[in-house]
Amino acid sequence: MTDTLRAAYRTMRTIRAFEERVRAEFATGEIPGSMQLHAGEEASVAGVCAHLGDRDAIAGSHRGHGIAKGVDVKGMMAEIYGRRTGSCHGKGGSTHIADLSKGVLGAGPPLICGTALAAKQQDTGGVGVAFSSESNQVTTLEALNLAAAWNLPAIFVAENNGYAEATSSSWSVASDNIADRAAGFGVPGVIVDGFDFFAVHEAAGEAIERAREGGGPTLIEVKFTRYQQGLDCLAWFRARVTESGELLGTVLDDIDAEVAKLVEDAVAEAKAAPKPTRADLETDVYASY
């Protein structure tokens, strides 16, 4: 259990350090494109992905999720900088980070239906997990309906921080709880505290086990507020495990230092890496036009 807790904290701390550094670097103007951060929502993805392995796949939202599933930190940083050494060779940018070798498919709940169908047909025991920050998107509901109709091993995680980018859900969403929508598709709907890694971990474990055993999809609504509003899942996790004696504060401090160096090295290497060339435009495509 101690190793599991250390791994969970390292994942969350890595995401936080990565996101905070990207936010600072983006302000300098060196990072191209747009930036939507996942800071403050680490317990959601860490709690879910702790149950996943090589046979499983995830699709993220416009906020980054790759680190929790094993995408190389340096590869992600280089991708965000638009460098050839990035996980998508500098062509994808920050939104919808992808690395097929790690089962990270980029964006879209419909993609998860594809991987879940393949897992079901091939009987691998694998599951697909879709993280969605924009649960009003039609594709999310279409994918949930398809997963229910085909009884797919798929998990839909609605990361509800109260907003769809800048639009408050208080006046843009008719129902109080996204999880209530699950009833319309005949699947379980679960609400968990997004600041509590252990609550997310437990709910995700039950849903994933159910999916692996042929029970079909689950909709999990993870509720939290945006990081800037004061609550912090990392601080909550640290307080719990140190007060219980499960981990020492010095162990967590060492992880903090290791992660800080990793992120620093990732930035330095990304800035020094080459950018894609004109010839790179014709690679990594499925068809010639």
Side-chain angles (χ1 to χ4, degrees):
M1 183 61 177
T2 299
D3 290 343
T4 300
L5 293 176
R6 273 202 300 263
Y9 182 78
R10 183 181 295 276
T11 295
M12 292 191 290
R13 175 54 67 190
T14 303
I15 296 171
R16 175 66 57 81
F18 187 95
E19 299 282 293
E20 289 291 276
R21 186 57 185 270
V22 166
R23 180 176 63 84
E25 293 293 324
F26 184 71
T28 69
E30 291 190 59
I31 293 177
S34 60
M35 189 63 54
Q36 296 86 25
L37 302 177
H38 200 244
E41 303 179 7
E42 295 88 353
S44 168
V45 64
V48 174
C49 288
H51 296 282
L52 304 181
D54 293 340
R55 59 181 173 171
D56 307 310
I58 70 168
S61 67
H62 56 283
R63 305 184 189 279
H65 293 82
I67 289 174
K69 189 62 173 60
V71 176
D72 178 64
V73 170
K74 292 181 178 180
M76 277 189 64
M77 188 65 76
E79 184 60 35
I80 285 174
Y81 267 89
R83 308 294 176 161
R84 291 180 68 189
T85 55
S87 56
C88 294
H89 308 298
K91 301 177 185 180
S94 70
T95 303
H96 312 307
I97 286 288
D99 184 343
L100 298 186
S101 69
K102 299 297 183 180
V104 179
L105 308 182
L111 296 179
I112 286 305
C113 287
T115 62
L117 178 60
K120 180 178 179 178
Q121 291 181 331
Q122 296 169 13
D123 195 25
T124 65
V127 301
V129 181
F131 294 90
S132 176
S133 297
E134 307 288 356
S135 297
N136 279 340
Q137 288 184 338
V138 174
T139 55
T140 301
L141 299 178
E142 289 176 338
L144 180 57
N145 180 68
L146 185 62
W150 288 359
N151 196 44
L152 298 179
I155 313 299
F156 295 82
V157 182
E159 296 183 313
N160 183 6
N161 64 16
Y163 290 86
E165 293 195 0
T167 305
S168 172
S169 60
S170 63
W171 58 269
S172 62
V173 180
S175 58
D176 292 333
N177 302 310
I178 294 172
D180 291 344
R181 301 177 182 180
F185 301 96
V187 304
V190 181
I191 299 174
V192 295
D193 180 355
F195 295 108
D196 184 347
F197 165 84
F198 298 93
V200 176
H201 185 267
E202 181 179 359
E206 293 175 358
I208 291 170
E209 182 179 6
R210 177 175 176 270
R212 293 198 197 281
E213 294 177 352
T218 299
L219 173 60
I220 302 174
E221 179 180 2
V222 183
K223 288 196 173 187
F224 33 46
T225 55
R226 288 187 168 175
Y227 178 47
Q228 292 80 3
Q229 293 179 300
L231 297 175
D232 187 349
C233 59
L234 267 81
W236 191 97
F237 182 96
R238 185 183 183 106
R240 169 163 171 170
V241 297
T242 55
E243 290 172 6
S244 67
E246 293 170 285
L247 288 177
L248 295 175
T250 53
V251 171
L252 302 181
D253 291 341
D254 288 344
I255 293 175
D256 291 348
E258 293 166 5
V259 167
K261 184 180 186 307
L262 173 60
V263 172
E264 185 68 29
D265 291 346
V267 171
E269 292 182 22
K271 290 183 177 182
K275 296 180 180 179
T277 65
R278 182 185 296 270
D280 292 320
L281 290 173
E282 298 180 359
T283 62
D284 303 312
V285 295
Y286 293 105
S288 299
Y289 298 94

